[in-house]
Amino acid sequence: MANPGQPSGNIVYDPLPLTTEDSNALYNAPPSPLPSQSQFSMNDGYSGVPPGAGQPRFMAAQLYGGNDTSQPDFRDSFASSNRSIPGGNPSEYGSVYALNDTRSGPYRDEPAGFPDDVPMSPVGHSRALNEKNNVYAPPKAKSRRKIMIIGAIIALILIAAAVVIPLYFTVFKKKDGSSSGKTGDSTGSNTDSDSTGGKTPNKPQNVVSGGDGSTVTMEDGTTFKYQNKFGGYWYYDPNNPYSSGGKPQEWSPAINETFNYGVDKIRGVNIGGWLNPEPKYINNPTPAVDEWTLCDNMAKDTAGGGLNQLEDHYKTFITEKDFAEIAAAGLNYIRLPIGFWAVEKRANEPFLEGVSWKYALKAFAWARKYGLRINLDLHTAPGSQNGWNHSGKMGTVGFLNGPMGYANAQRMLNIVRIIAEFISQPQYKDVVTMFGVMNEPQASVMGQDALFAFYLEAYNIVRTAGGGTGDGKGPWVSMHDGFLGRDKWTGAFPNADRVTLDSHPYMCFGGQSADPITSFVNTPCTSWASSTNDTMSNFGLFNAGEFSNAVNDCGLFLNEVNGGSRYEGDYIRGTFPRVGSCTTWTDYASYTPAMKDGLKKFAMASMDALQNYFFWTWKIGPSAVSGKVEAPAWSYQLGLQEGWMPEDPREAAGACGNTNPWQPPLKPGTGSIPAAYTQQYAWPPAEITKLGAPAALPAYTPTGTIITLAPSTVTAAKGETITKTADPGSGWNNAADQDPLYVEIAGCTYLDPWVNPDTAAPAPCGGSGAARRMASPITQPTAAPSLT
């Protein structure tokens, strides 16, 4: 990929055919049409271009340049005119062809690593590339003598076949003693019998890629039509399932291409409510208000299927088709929330252990297939990091707070490490490119110093798992802001390698307003745009891990199960005056065109202000009572269907009219964090809220055996054949990372991890106090460790 700030004029190009000798030459082609146009015409009106020449066609990814050679521009059509061509429209990167960029190897519009026998994109989805190939193709031979020679060779082959085939069936096959009535052979290949008893090969051919209009066969044999008007294509080879050729749109890098953070925009969506599902059993004596009570109620519901009902939800709520639709919506990233019980649970915890990991692996595979990158988000923590229902158990904060606060953090570091080792493996690192080590911690409860110490230890663990620092060595580390002011993050984690600050800018949970949505369309710009620019300058990459279209708290169970709403004045956690009825906001079937237009403008203003974002959420299931979605402002999918989300998220560019936007590149981070900073936030922290030094609290000891997460099993869909066994990885990337896990000290009794944080701390057992693993040097992985 070209370097930001380097003029494209320094690139050495292959010579291109011009205009005077061949009416079909490249520059004679008419300008490329807008995506919405089905027809186009010649335009010979460009000054400075040879007579008869059309505007240059976009043949390859363009480099950085234009009037400001340090910054990319974004083209709004397939036309590709340099600003040096008077009258040309602005292009995506402000320059012309990047063919044969001598600094970066193959053409940038060829996904690196594609197998030689697989076309770069499906037929019908790269007209420009086909034209380019035709331009560079060698001239066709017109020799009559050569044609005669070829004809003679074909005749000889036909004569030989006429002799050999009868001999095979009359002599060799009889001597072989082969029977003629079978329809299969020992290799398992499919065959059809002909009328003479001979076998005609009929081996299925794997379809490994397709574009708009192609048919996708899912693992259960069902099919759907892939629809992607943005030039995206899917790619999946069951014989090489970890190859990464999928591309979500023509403007977003494929999985096997470089995503240039700070230049390429993260346009993402959460897949919430899937692996952290929404409650049910709301009318039980103890209604399900969080994952804990949901699992407890399910386990008791043996007639309904017990706890296995949860897997039924995993199977059906989100499928492969959703991933295809996300790419078709113009999005290129997914934030995937998971609970810590995907890795492990303790005996007294009711969670369904490990099963959600199987579906996380499906998400990895589907994302790879459709060209989507994943931000894997640890949404829950032992003891709860915020006391809210989506943390695992609603109530109090027991993470870095109270008598089990330190031990719970040690346990969380185990989980971070096990996941980081898995996703840093070569099979997964290009798909799971970001790792949120903890969602929405309440820094006001646990304290900034303790939170930063945890983040720094988690960062070191992730970097060790990746085998060091630098691109390609493990994922970006995403740290939620803890609801601290941005000033607390200015200069935080200096020189860290690939760290991004996550914030969740909602405007619906405070004071409520009766004003219509049209009065809010510019609010994201005035509220968020400036702080986004400042954070990108003062910290580094900023991502809005969650936001929505909600301007009030109307929506079923939005606050909590049976929690009421501020808007209607019946919120159970505080006193708020009634503003009006939520029906106006939840009954989307009654939305007027003006309301839909206002919601769309609000969404685009949010996207433009936040720059790199993940909408919450892709899908919301219908209410079991009404049969329809009761929180429409939170569903991207529904907004697309009903017309209040932009069909192309690039429409949002410029919605805020930002006259002084942040300019790339991001500050580089080598990973050498100053010693003074690492000492200030050393692990363990000096103090745990409420009870003081960790040495006086229950703690685990770093003597446990390493455990790993299991990979998925590759199976063939209906009509596919697998002839090769792919290596799914050992589950552990860095063989040098052999420090033991934190475990309970034998003979010691521990409090419940979810104990009330006001409980008095028992005397430390075993003299462990603030036990920690020894810091491991960050080394490059060599081979898989010996695991048990």
Side-chain angles (χ1 to χ4, degrees):
M1 179 169 282
N3 295 323
Q6 181 168 354
S8 58
N10 295 333
I11 306 303
V12 179
Y13 301 106
D14 285 346
L16 296 175
L18 295 177
T19 61
T20 56
E21 297 179 0
D22 183 358
S23 62
N24 294 318
L26 176 66
Y27 278 7
N28 281 350
S32 300
L34 292 168
S36 58
Q37 293 178 333
S38 59
Q39 298 180 348
F40 57 92
S41 59
M42 283 289 290
N43 186 346
D44 296 337
Y46 297 110
S47 173
V49 180
Q55 187 178 8
R57 189 74 59 83
F58 181 70
M59 289 290 165
Q62 297 190 24
L63 303 181
Y64 303 89
N67 295 335
D68 179 359
T69 58
S70 66
Q71 307 302 331
D73 294 319
F74 294 91
R75 62 183 173 87
D76 49 11
S77 78
F78 295 148
S80 177
S81 52
N82 190 329
R83 290 182 180 178
S84 64
I85 301 175
N89 296 323
S91 69
E92 183 161 331
Y93 291 103
S95 180
V96 290
Y97 305 99
L99 302 179
N100 290 348
D101 181 357
T102 58
R103 299 161 300 163
S104 58
Y107 292 171
R108 284 179 51 207
D109 60 347
E110 289 180 335
F114 246 55
D116 292 339
D117 59 347
V118 178
M120 188 205 74
S121 63
V123 175
H125 289 81
S126 187
R127 182 191 65 191
L129 181 61
N130 293 338
E131 291 171 356
K132 182 180 72 179
N133 290 336
N134 291 337
V135 167
Y136 285 95
K140 296 180 180 179
K142 299 180 180 179
S143 169
R144 179 178 178 84
R145 180 170 178 268
K146 184 174 182 180
I147 295 173
M148 293 176 65
I149 292 173
I150 293 173
I153 292 172
I154 293 173
L156 289 172
I157 292 172
L158 292 174
I159 293 170
V163 173
V164 171
I165 292 175
L167 284 173
Y168 171 77
F169 283 106
T170 60
V171 179
F172 302 125
K173 190 170 180 64
K174 284 186 178 181
K175 289 182 178 179
D176 181 57
S178 300
S179 62
S180 60
K182 296 179 180 178
T183 59
D185 61 21
S186 60
T187 64
S189 61
N190 295 328
T191 56
D192 294 330
S193 297
D194 62 18
S195 59
T196 64
K199 293 191 295 185
T200 308
N202 186 30
K203 296 181 180 179
Q205 299 296 313
N206 295 333
V207 178
V208 299
S209 186
D212 187 34
S214 61
T215 298
V216 175
T217 302
M218 296 189 287
E219 62 183 8
D220 64 357
T222 60
T223 63
F224 67 89
K225 178 180 284 190
Y226 176 74
Q227 297 179 313
N228 189 313
K229 65 181 181 181
F230 298 129
Y233 49 83
W234 57 270
Y235 180 90
Y236 175 71
D237 181 356
N239 289 299
N240 190 10
Y242 303 109
S243 57
S244 303
K247 190 176 181 71
Q249 308 89 29
E250 63 91 15
W251 65 80
S252 292
I255 295 295
N256 57 10
E257 296 176 318
T258 300
F259 196 100
N260 191 357
Y261 293 90
V263 176
D264 294 319
K265 299 293 186 185
I266 296 174
R267 298 182 176 103
V269 66
N270 283 267
I271 301 185
W274 183 30
L275 305 183
N276 267 1
E278 298 175 353
K280 55 185 289 190
Y281 303 104
I282 60 175
N283 296 318
N284 283 15
T286 303
V289 298
D290 50 28
E291 187 92 7
W292 184 290
T293 51
L294 175 65
C295 291
D296 190 51
N297 276 281
M298 276 189 173
K300 295 173 183 176
D301 181 18
T302 55
L307 198 53
N308 290 331
Q309 294 175 85
L310 202 50
E311 185 169 9
D312 293 337
H313 170 80
Y314 297 157
K315 289 178 181 178
T316 58
F317 184 66
I318 294 290
T319 68
E320 178 181 337
K321 188 179 180 183
D322 287 288
F323 283 70
E325 290 177 356
I326 288 169
L331 304 172
N332 56 21
Y333 239 108
I334 283 171
R335 183 170 180 259
L336 182 64
I338 61 170
F340 69 80
W341 46 86
V343 178
E344 58 95 334
K345 70 165 190 172
R346 297 297 160 90
N348 69 321
E349 294 171 341
F351 309 122
L352 183 60
E353 182 182 29
V355 177
S356 60
W357 180 250
K358 178 170 69 173
Y359 292 88
L361 292 174
K362 290 182 183 292
F364 299 170
W366 296 336
R368 183 196 311 275
K369 182 172 182 176
Y370 296 101
L372 300 166
R373 288 167 169 83
I374 286 181
N375 172 6
L376 186 63
D377 178 66
L378 254 179
H379 218 63
T380 70
S384 179
Q385 75 277 23
N386 53 37
W388 296 329
N389 57 357
H390 52 71
S391 69
K393 187 177 184 181
M394 190 166 67
T396 56
V397 176
F399 184 90
L400 291 175
N401 182 45
M404 288 296 290
Y406 175 56
N408 283 336
Q410 290 177 301
R411 183 180 168 196
M412 185 70 159
L413 290 172
N414 278 350
I415 294 163
V416 167
R417 185 179 175 210
I418 292 167
I419 292 175
E421 284 286 357
F422 187 95
I423 63 177
S424 296
Q425 296 177 104
Q427 294 88 342
Y428 310 97
K429 65 183 179 69
D430 293 335
V431 176
V432 188
T433 50
M434 194 173 288
F435 184 20
V437 294
M438 186 163 56
N439 177 65
E440 295 187 348
Q442 285 277 21
S444 61
V445 175
M446 60 190 69
Q448 177 181 331
D449 286 355
L451 177 60
F452 276 28
F454 173 82
Y455 275 156
L456 183 57
E457 184 74 353
Y459 164 84
N460 288 332
I461 285 171
V462 175
R463 288 289 156 259
T464 298
T469 58
D471 288 341
K473 294 184 177 180
W476 281 73
V477 178
S478 182
M479 301 176 180
H480 184 267
D481 62 15
F483 306 102
L484 296 168
R486 294 290 172 82
D487 60 306
K488 303 296 184 184
W489 286 92
T490 298
F493 301 93
N495 208 32
D497 171 41
R498 291 171 296 137
V499 169
T500 175
L501 183 62
D502 172 18
S503 188
H504 300 172
Y506 291 124
M507 60 174 59
C508 58
F509 295 117
Q512 306 292 292
S513 172
D515 294 338
I517 186 63
T518 52
S519 67
F520 292 94
V521 295
N522 200 46
T523 303
C525 303
T526 56
S527 299
W528 303 332
S530 178
S531 62
T532 297
N533 287 340
D534 291 344
T535 303
M536 296 284 281
S537 297
N538 299 329
F539 176 86
L541 182 63
F542 168 80
N543 80 88
E546 297 179 18
F547 77 102
S548 76
N549 280 339
V551 296
N552 53 52
D553 67 345
C554 290
L556 184 64
F557 304 153
L558 182 58
N559 293 299
E560 59 185 270
V561 175
N562 299 327
S565 69
R566 299 168 182 83
Y567 194 84
E568 292 190 336
D570 57 357
Y571 181 49
I572 64 174
R573 303 290 177 183
T575 302
F576 289 81
R578 178 181 171 87
V579 174
S581 170
C582 279
T583 302
T584 302
W585 298 91
T586 58
D587 184 13
Y588 62 87
S590 299
Y591 284 0
T592 64
M595 186 169 182
K596 289 185 178 182
D597 182 65
L599 283 167
K600 184 177 181 179
K601 289 178 177 177
F602 180 87
M604 292 194 297
S606 299
M607 292 172 175
D608 195 36
L610 299 173
Q611 299 183 29
N612 299 283
Y613 56 80
F614 300 89
F615 186 91
W616 187 280
T617 182
W618 169 247
K619 175 189 290 186
I620 291 178
S623 164
V625 177
S626 69
K628 64 185 184 69
V629 173
E630 293 288 354
W634 299 78
S635 175
Y636 201 111
Q637 183 189 61
L638 183 65
L640 284 174
Q641 294 168 354
E642 298 293 329
W644 67 76
M645 291 300 288
E647 292 184 359
D648 183 345
R650 293 177 301 169
E651 295 177 42
C656 288
N658 193 346
T659 58
N660 188 30
W662 172 83
Q663 298 293 332
L666 293 168
K667 290 180 179 179
T670 65
S672 298
I673 300 175
Y677 194 89
T678 60
Q679 291 168 7
Q680 180 181 359
Y681 295 111
W683 185 260
E687 181 176 299
I688 299 296
T689 307
K690 294 185 182 292
L691 293 172
L697 301 176
Y700 300 131
T701 179
T703 58
T705 301
I706 289 176
I707 61 173
T708 61
L709 290 164
S712 59
T713 301
V714 178
T715 57
K718 184 178 180 180
E720 291 181 338
T721 57
I722 296 180
T723 59
K724 300 178 182 178
T725 301
D727 176 15
S730 67
W732 201 261
N733 182 62
N734 190 350
D737 182 11
Q738 289 295 295
D739 288 339
L741 298 177
Y742 291 115
V743 293
E744 293 183 355
I745 300 170
C748 291
T749 301
Y750 289 84
L751 296 173
D752 186 335
W754 305 84
V755 68
N756 189 309
D758 292 327
T759 304
C765 177
S768 63
R772 64 161 293 168
R773 293 183 295 108
M774 295 298 291
S776 298
I778 297 178
T779 56
Q780 179 65 33
T782 53
S786 176
L787 304 175
T788 56

